[in-house]
Amino acid sequence: MRHGRRALFPLVRHALLLAWTAVTLFPIYWMVMTSFKHAGEWVTWPPRWFPHEPTLVNYVKILTPGTSTFELGRQTLKILKPIGDSLIVSGVGSLLAVALGSALAYSWARFGTGGRNYPYNILSIRMVPPIVIAVPFVVYFVTLRLLDTYTGLILVYVATCLPYVIWMMLAFVEEVPVELERAARLMGASRLRVLRSVVLPLTASGLVVTFLFVFILNWSELLLAITLTNTEVSTLPITLNKFQSANEGRDYGPQAAIGTLATLPVVVMGFLIQKHLLRGFSFGLLRK
Amino acid sequence: MASIRIERLTKVFGATRAVDGIDLAIPDGEFVVLVGPSGCGKTTTLNMIAGLDTPTSGDIWIGDARVTDWEPGERNLGMVFQSLALFPHMTVFDNIAFPLRIKRAAPEAIAARVRAVSDTVHVGHLLDKRPATLSGGEAQRVALARTLIVQPSVFLMDEPLSSLDAKLRVEMRTELKRLHAALRSTFVYVTHDQAEAMTMADRIVVMHQGRIQQVGRPLEVYSDPVNRFVAGFFGVPAMNFVEGELRPEPEGARFVAQALRVTLPGYRGGSAPAVLGVRPEHVRLADGRESWPATVSLVEPLGDETLVFLDYGGPSSLVAKVDAEEKVAVGDRRSLTFRLDRVVLFDGKTGGRIPG
């Protein structure tokens, strides 16, 4: 009997996990399928699990140049520019945040810059919900002429990401034994050389993981983007959101296509993070 | 090659005086061991010599130069760390070559030098490996090679053997001693292990609570300790201490404790609380001019010698180290005596040695 029960338990566990996976993945599955369907199949009953005639028409619609088209009373937004805007804002914002945040993390970990409570103070930025700071930001940004500009949104993204970067990089920097840096210094290496030859190679995985993490955050950020931009800058989440307020009728196919395209990089990065997280922490093999 | 001079060196961390105004002169070519319990300031002292910690006050001289404010890299030192501090992302070759690359040596010169040095410490076959794949002893040698490659005038070592198993530790001890004999450089070695200090040092510097307690040759420190701390720190098993009182006598003094009275001819002075110290090898199971009855409570054979724990009626038992041939069994009634010329006395209050 014991043997039978032992064989049964993993079976039940796997069945439950599979069921849960199906529940979580279903909306994504439905979105991807819809993006390949003709207009007639978007809302049919009973639902069609697979597109009857798979088509790329939705992708063609959204990927053509321009800002938007009206067709049969439906407004279809084009996403080439939003994709570019999202890449610029998320990419530059994340890069700057990682550069500044990792420098801060290093200097705090090694020299106590800013005092003992510095990382906690920085963390308090995240304790204010974005909705609270969004409107005051508008006021400042009007004065500073930063409203609806790349610079403005990038600055906000850097500020909101810094706490994440600092806290993640703290963990990675603290994995590097101080003695390694001391040994290099004794051999005559300058502080910059120590950073380049010892600290950077040992925290490289951490930098990649942190960058991907904040990039995903920025990539999908909606509230601040929608408040602080208008027509000049328009990121993917904003564009996706605009379909909900389209004049009449819902343009589900192109919307699903945008959703699919917006999800792709995040999924790819998710896999990358997984690989790097493993590598990032494997230096725990260091002799201590 | 270089001598080291330390003058009134002090390091304060917050409210702790880690190193409290120490003076020390280390002549060129000497093997000095800084020894003491953890937190005694020995590693902080070493780090200040290395330039990794900045002194709160005081001065450090290496050779004729006052190096107190110099960068670590400018002091021409080699250091082996407790963790060895091998760079995990570099091969053994790159680890050993690192100091030369910093100095921008030519690639051919680097390769030749790495090969020569790795052969002297027998790691020539490991050059392509990563530190994580090395055994403890191999990693130890690689760390040594990386230090040797620039031929520093002073070697600093911070408990470099503590990560090795007991057998390898003893082997590396001998090897370091040989290395010192071959290089004739100045070695400053930090350890908390009194056996390492005894076996390797030309001179031992005993530290406790940020101060130097005693400086001397190993046997000097062992047999002629300046205070109770030093006496108790060296020797396994530790020295026996008996608390009592010193009373003046016509010729010398008499030490009186519970169940023990010892006549000490050489001692002078008034009546005072005192602590008598006697090493286990100086406690004998025999009748002497003065001897006391005792019961054997525990026997620990070590092979070459045997440790015998004796209840003599005092607050704790005395340990005697006797020949392995000696027939002793738990419960035996034996007479015990001390080698009086090797007994030392300490002040009951300050712990300082009472000269006699």
Side-chain angles (χ1 to χ4, degrees):
Chain A
M1 267 325 280
R2 267 188 61 133
H3 183 81
R5 202 191 291 173
R6 218 185 292 169
L8 195 68
F9 186 68
L11 215 73
V12 172
R13 206 176 53 173
H14 279 93
L16 283 173
L17 285 174
L18 274 175
W20 182 243
T21 311
V23 170
T24 46
L25 286 185
F26 178 73
I28 296 173
Y29 167 80
W30 196 249
M31 176 181 76
V32 175
M33 284 307 136
T34 306
S35 76
F36 291 111
K37 285 176 184 168
H38 285 289
E41 286 184 311
W42 294 345
V43 286
T44 48
W45 190 263
R48 275 197 205 275
W49 296 100
F50 291 101
H52 189 65
E53 247 177 76
T55 173
L56 287 174
V57 69
N58 297 318
Y59 288 92
V60 173
K61 266 188 192 170
I62 57 167
L63 286 174
T64 47
T67 48
S68 68
T69 51
F70 281 94
E71 192 182 305
L72 301 171
R74 289 200 189 99
Q75 184 191 27
T76 303
L77 293 165
K78 312 293 181 189
I79 61 156
L80 281 182
K81 179 158 185 324
I83 285 182
D85 284 3
S86 268
L87 280 176
I88 292 171
V89 175
S90 309
V92 177
S94 309
L95 264 183
L96 282 177
V98 168
L100 292 175
S102 50
L104 276 168
Y106 179 78
S107 98
W108 186 79
R110 292 298 190 246
F111 308 108
T113 313
R116 271 222 338 238
N117 293 323
Y118 185 70
Y120 300 95
N121 296 341
I122 285 276
L123 197 61
S124 66
I125 294 178
R126 290 303 325 180
M127 291 175 187
V128 184
I131 190 91
V132 175
I133 54 168
V135 175
F137 258 123
V138 173
V139 177
Y140 279 125
F141 273 27
V142 166
T143 322
L144 296 169
R145 292 175 188 282
L146 286 173
L147 208 61
D148 202 16
T149 62
Y150 292 113
T151 319
L153 200 53
I154 288 171
L155 280 180
V156 173
Y157 281 177
V158 169
T160 51
C161 287
L162 266 183
Y164 290 117
V165 175
I166 290 177
W167 276 87
M168 287 181 76
M169 284 314 294
L170 261 182
F172 287 106
V173 168
E174 277 164 3
E175 284 256 305
V176 178
V178 189
E179 288 196 341
L180 292 184
E181 293 178 45
R182 298 186 141 199
R185 296 249 294 136
L186 261 165
M187 293 168 203
S190 63
R191 292 218 188 256
L192 273 180
R193 180 69 191 259
V194 172
L195 278 180
R196 184 159 63 83
S197 298
V198 179
V199 182
L200 270 182
L202 290 176
T203 51
S205 282
L207 286 168
V208 173
V209 170
T210 309
F211 173 80
L212 295 180
F213 183 79
V214 292
F215 184 89
I216 290 173
L217 283 183
N218 290 339
W219 184 256
S220 50
E221 203 284 329
L222 172 67
L223 181 72
L224 291 169
I226 211 168
T227 321
L228 298 173
T229 63
N230 189 14
T231 48
E232 288 300 314
V233 179
S234 178
T235 61
L236 269 181
I238 297 175
T239 312
L240 201 52
N241 181 62
K242 279 183 182 159
F243 277 81
Q244 301 295 344
S245 53
N247 296 346
E248 54 188 280
R250 295 269 166 99
D251 212 3
Y252 289 119
Q255 195 180 5
I258 297 179
T260 306
L261 286 182
T263 311
L264 260 180
V266 179
V267 171
V268 170
M269 284 184 183
F271 278 112
L272 285 181
I273 280 199
Q274 229 178 3
K275 211 176 98 193
H276 271 281
L277 265 182
L278 285 177
R279 201 153 15 123
F281 290 119
S282 69
F283 280 119
L285 286 170
L286 292 173
R287 285 162 207 288
K288 286 213 171 153
Chain B
M1 305 217 178
S3 59
I4 300 172
R5 207 166 78 242
I6 291 169
E7 285 171 356
R8 296 184 309 282
L9 196 64
T10 302
K11 178 71 183 179
V12 181
F13 292 112
T16 342
R17 296 180 84 79
V19 176
D20 196 0
I22 63 170
D23 290 290
L24 182 66
I26 304 170
D28 182 25
E30 192 174 57
F31 198 130
V32 164
V33 175
L34 305 184
V35 68
S38 55
C40 73
K42 55 191 192 301
T43 298
T44 309
T45 304
L46 195 76
N47 283 342
M48 285 193 283
I49 297 175
L52 298 171
D53 277 339
T54 316
T56 308
S57 65
D59 270 316
I60 300 162
W61 299 70
I62 296 177
D64 297 323
R66 181 179 166 277
V67 300
T68 320
D69 307 320
W70 290 19
E71 283 288 301
E74 298 169 345
R75 303 185 182 201
N76 191 23
L77 306 166
M79 185 155 174
V80 180
F81 291 84
Q82 183 167 13
S83 65
L84 303 181
L86 295 176
F87 304 125
H89 56 299
M90 298 183 193
T91 61
V92 168
F93 182 95
D94 290 335
N95 262 286
I96 300 176
F98 190 81
L100 290 182
R101 294 214 168 114
I102 294 285
K103 291 181 168 41
R104 296 172 197 281
E108 314 84 62
I110 291 177
R113 193 79 193 106
V114 169
R115 212 135 285 138
V117 169
S118 47
D119 283 344
T120 35
V121 291
H122 315 291
V123 292
H125 57 295
L126 305 170
L127 292 178
D128 296 328
K129 289 196 171 191
R130 297 256 171 177
T133 64
L134 301 178
S135 73
E138 288 168 346
Q140 188 72 55
R141 286 164 199 279
V142 172
L144 210 53
R146 192 180 60 177
T147 314
L148 284 168
I149 196 158
V150 282
Q151 296 163 308
S153 55
V154 175
F155 284 83
L156 307 178
M157 305 200 180
D158 184 9
E159 310 228 10
L161 306 184
S162 56
S163 57
L164 303 180
D165 62 63
K167 188 166 172 288
L168 203 54
R169 193 152 60 218
V170 173
E171 279 173 32
M172 284 304 291
R173 223 153 72 182
T174 323
E175 209 159 319
L176 282 179
K177 206 57 196 142
R178 284 218 184 91
L179 189 70
H180 176 248
L183 296 170
R184 305 294 337 155
S185 307
T186 312
F187 276 49
V188 185
Y189 188 103
V190 161
T191 181
H192 65 270
D193 180 348
Q194 53 99 20
E196 265 176 38
M198 291 293 287
T199 49
M200 297 170 78
D202 291 332
R203 272 196 315 157
I204 292 179
V205 177
V206 189
M207 292 188 69
H208 183 45
Q209 293 172 342
R211 289 164 191 253
I212 293 181
Q213 305 291 315
Q214 187 169 5
V215 181
R217 280 179 280 114
L219 287 182
E220 231 170 72
V221 173
Y222 184 78
S223 56
D224 206 7
V226 296
N227 57 33
R228 184 175 168 175
F229 171 80
V230 176
F233 190 79
F234 291 93
V236 178
M239 184 181 258
N240 296 295
F241 291 113
V242 184
E243 307 212 355
E245 203 180 325
L246 199 60
R247 289 181 190 160
E249 288 274 304
E251 68 267 13
R254 175 180 285 242
F255 176 81
V256 183
Q258 197 182 337
L260 215 67
R261 269 149 212 283
V262 192
T263 312
L264 301 156
Y267 287 84
R268 292 267 172 271
S271 179
V275 178
L276 177 141
V278 59
R279 295 212 177 269
E281 59 266 36
H282 302 137
V283 179
R284 304 206 160 147
L285 298 179
D287 286 311
R289 201 160 57 83
E290 283 174 310
S291 53
W292 312 274
T295 312
V296 175
S297 63
L298 192 66
V299 178
E300 288 182 353
L302 300 176
D304 51 347
E305 280 160 328
T306 302
L307 300 181
V308 182
F309 290 72
L310 300 155
D311 287 340
Y312 66 99
S316 56
S317 50
L318 288 171
V319 185
K321 200 187 259 181
V322 301
D323 198 278
E325 309 276 301
E326 181 94 30
K327 297 237 179 319
V328 216
V330 173
D332 283 3
R333 290 287 291 175
R334 299 295 285 264
S335 169
L336 92 92
T337 185
F338 300 150
R339 255 190 75 178
L340 286 182
D341 56 329
R342 306 309 297 268
V343 165
V344 285
L345 278 176
F346 304 102
D347 189 299
K349 290 196 195 88
T350 64
R353 178 86 172 270
I354 300 173

